[in-house]
Amino acid sequence: MSLIKRFERNNCGRDLIVGDVHGYFGRLQVAIDEVGFDPGRDRLFSVGDLVDRGPECDLALEWLAKPWFHAVRGNHEDMAIRWPNGNMDARNYVANGGGWNVSNPPELSREFAEAFAALPIAMELETERGLVGIVHADCPFSSWEQFVEVLETEQLSGALKKAVFEAAMWSRERISGHASLDDVAGVRAVVVGHTPVQRATSLGNVHYIDTGGWFPAHRPEGRFTLLDASTLRGATVSRLWEGA
Ligand SMILES: [Mn+2]
């Protein structure tokens, strides 16, 4: 298992990056159809948080098995990993949208935990305009190389591992203004989700793309943003699933 997964340049199609999905795979399918996603040439990358809150969380494994779909671990995957080990309080988990997994038979919860524990913490895409990093919440270092170096350290100390994992999957320091807004060095862009934003936005070279495609029906402002890794432009797709 590798904590960083690297992808060579996609020479035949597009690389699109989507924000948090939170169990709305039907909507995600509609969104990628809308931009003419071609599974034979294009690739879809996820910033994590595939599960909790939405109605189709159980489809996450099916999506992860698709050869063109790749995800990093979000804090909601982290909770699903903790759950079968007794490291996740049931009430807190349910409050965070984990009710579907709390009611899963233990064998199934274990299956999800294993699949999510196999996800990398970060991904790295070669694009024609430079390297693009993907992590759920934030890059915990001022340089991407440093982050990768730590993720590749075979015998990472327990304390360092915990701190790096927590920041990568849970941090809101940068977007809440409590940390440096400088570019992450050594990488063209870092793409994250985790903190919902009204529209895709960037702080330095860190791009926030969770525009709430998973928002429930009473929050119709939510959209999926599909960010092109090469142009760093996002297609914000409509809520076709609302029905005509
Ligand atoms: Mn999150």
Side-chain angles (χ1 to χ4, degrees):
M1 181 195 74
S2 176
L3 298 176
I4 167 98
K5 201 166 171 189
R6 294 194 168 85
F7 294 85
E8 288 182 12
R9 195 166 139 184
N10 184 353
N11 289 313
C12 68
R14 288 171 296 172
D15 282 345
L16 301 178
I17 312 171
V18 69
D20 302 24
V21 175
H22 283 307
Y24 284 97
F25 291 99
R27 292 181 183 183
L28 179 59
Q29 184 65 55
V30 170
I32 64 175
D33 286 348
E34 193 176 342
V35 298
F37 184 85
D38 178 350
R41 297 150 39 115
D42 300 332
R43 300 186 293 198
L44 181 62
F45 295 90
S46 153
V47 302
D49 277 6
L50 296 172
V51 291
D52 298 345
R53 301 196 173 122
E56 301 148 350
C57 297
D58 48 340
L59 294 182
L61 299 184
E62 219 171 278
W63 274 71
L64 286 172
K66 296 178 193 291
W68 45 264
F69 185 69
H70 308 279
V72 294
R73 225 185 284 178
N75 58 307
H76 285 263
E77 281 74 47
D78 192 32
M79 291 190 266
I81 293 166
R82 293 176 191 193
W83 171 243
N85 302 327
N87 294 328
M88 189 65 214
D89 172 66
R91 272 177 65 181
N92 180 17
Y93 194 19
V94 170
N96 280 290
W100 68 282
N101 199 20
V102 169
S103 37
N104 272 337
E107 318 81 73
L108 188 55
S109 290
R110 238 170 273 125
E111 202 182 317
F112 276 101
E114 273 167 33
F116 293 157
L119 295 177
I121 296 296
M123 296 190 289
E124 200 175 88
L125 318 184
E126 294 282 355
T127 78
E128 56 183 13
R129 300 185 203 182
L131 200 64
V132 172
I134 302 175
V135 57
H136 182 61
D138 203 358
C139 172
F141 296 92
S142 56
S143 99
W144 183 259
E145 291 103 321
Q146 235 178 322
F147 183 29
V148 169
E149 202 184 304
V150 167
L151 292 178
E152 285 183 325
T153 304
E154 292 270 331
Q155 312 246 299
L156 205 53
S157 90
L160 179 61
K161 183 174 172 178
K162 188 165 182 280
V164 168
F165 275 37
E166 286 221 353
M169 290 188 281
W170 292 83
S171 174
R172 296 188 209 275
E173 293 285 294
R174 185 184 303 264
I175 197 161
S176 59
H178 295 119
S180 155
L181 301 181
D182 293 347
D183 280 8
V184 175
V187 70
R188 179 174 170 235
V190 175
V191 182
V192 302
H194 189 51
T195 304
V197 286
Q198 264 185 334
R199 58 193 60 186
T201 188
S202 50
L203 292 173
N205 64 347
V206 180
H207 294 248
Y208 289 80
I209 64 163
D210 177 12
T211 46
W214 54 272
F215 284 2
H218 69 270
R219 293 180 70 188
E221 72 276 19
R223 299 278 189 280
F224 278 126
T225 291
L226 297 169
L227 189 80
D228 186 303
S230 181
T231 63
L232 294 178
R233 285 173 180 270
T236 304
V237 287
S238 61
R239 288 176 75 97
L240 287 178
W241 58 83
E242 302 289 351

